[in-house]
Amino acid sequence: MIKIGCHLSVSKGYLAMAKTAVSINADTFQFFTRNPRGGKAKAIDVEDIESFKSFAAENGIDRVLAHAPYTLNACSPDERVREFAFTAMTEDLARMEYIPGQLYNFHPGSHVGQGREKGIELIAELLNRVLYPEMTTTVLLETMAGKGSEVGAEFEELRAIIDRTELSDKLGVCLDTCHVYDAGYDIVNDLESVLEEFDRVVGLDRLKAVHINDSKNPIGSHKDRHERIGEGYIGIEAFERIINEPHLNRLPFYLETPNELEGYAKEIELLHDLSR
Ligand code: FE
Ligand code: FE
Ligand code: ZN
């Protein structure tokens, strides 16, 4: 049985998200740690966290994925932007410890003309400032579409970031199906080769979560426009193979498709039906 959920809004708190997840038959969920465009995070409500924990335990939710804001850019040429990345990630990781042992995903960043090497160096520099030995959260680098100057569209770039990070045992990867397809990896016709390449370069043991999205654009387009499951270039047959692939089917899947709750409920049902 695969674990599948979708992106939910954190605005009403953790318990509310878990209840919403259960109402659409999700076994897990993803949420932004704060407004996706940036800004301050709401104060942690300890009572909400405690009710969330017992509700989640009763309803079989043992995995959640927090997503850093999109504005977080660890390798911006602007030092203030890099400092926001440092502050936001430090705060987020402290808050994550209220729910120990979970996942925190971020977009590695855009180097904006400084070049890939410099980008990789700055991303690792941030990770070396924010990761600490006692933390229980696993920080995930998301595979990117390669839009603009995004770092992380090639597996080698993720490897390079991991190699430069001292506490690299705290790092994992979240594979976004729309992004890797847009980046040029043919998960439609040759999923096994893509996973072999991932294993050779990064290591499949690093893979901790999957963002399951169709793409509005063909392979290699570097556009990053998500589509509903089965309505894009990846297509339903490829998703059937993806969710049943033995290395992937043990990972949590998160929908980030253009949908309201009802649409997510339908996609969750569809994917459960396709799961063997
Ligand atoms: Fe993302
Ligand atoms: Fe994603
Ligand atoms: Zn995306």
Side-chain angles (χ1 to χ4, degrees), residues 30 67 70 105 107 142 144 176 179 211 256:
Q30 173 180 266
H67 194 308
Y70 286 146
N105 173 68
H107 296 179
E142 182 167 350
M144 300 311 293
D176 186 309
H179 296 178
H211 282 166
E256 302 174 307

Side-chain angles (χ1 to χ4, degrees), residues 13-28:
Y14 286 75
L15 177 63
M17 284 192 286
K19 285 186 170 169
T20 304
V22 168
S23 79
I24 57 170
N25 252 321
D27 328 279
T28 181

Side-chain angles (χ1 to χ4, degrees), residues 51-126:
S51 348
F52 159 74
K53 281 181 182 166
S54 39
F55 181 85
E58 283 159 22
N59 289 279
I61 296 177
D62 56 10
R63 182 46 91 216
V64 296
L65 173 56
H67 194 308
Y70 286 146
T71 44
L72 191 147
N73 185 2
C75 61
S76 167
D78 183 340
E79 204 194 322
R80 285 164 308 175
V81 176
R82 294 204 302 275
E83 274 315 294
F84 169 75
F86 169 73
T87 309
M89 204 181 277
T90 302
E91 283 173 16
D92 285 353
L93 291 178
R95 297 153 60 88
M96 288 299 290
E97 292 300 317
Y98 284 90
I99 316 168
Q102 296 304 325
L103 306 170
Y104 177 81
N105 173 68
F106 78 109
H107 296 179
S110 295
H111 64 71
V112 204
Q114 301 174 99
R116 255 150 240 288
E117 261 312 299
K118 184 69 184 169
I120 288 163
E121 193 185 299
L122 288 170
I123 295 158
E125 194 177 298
L126 173 82

Side-chain angles (χ1 to χ4, degrees), residues 163-184:
D163 281 344
R164 286 168 176 74
T165 303
E166 283 155 41
L167 297 175
S168 61
D169 60 312
K170 308 291 181 193
L171 291 181
V173 172
C174 173
L175 185 138
D176 186 309
T177 56
C178 168
H179 296 178
V180 289
Y181 191 65
D182 278 23

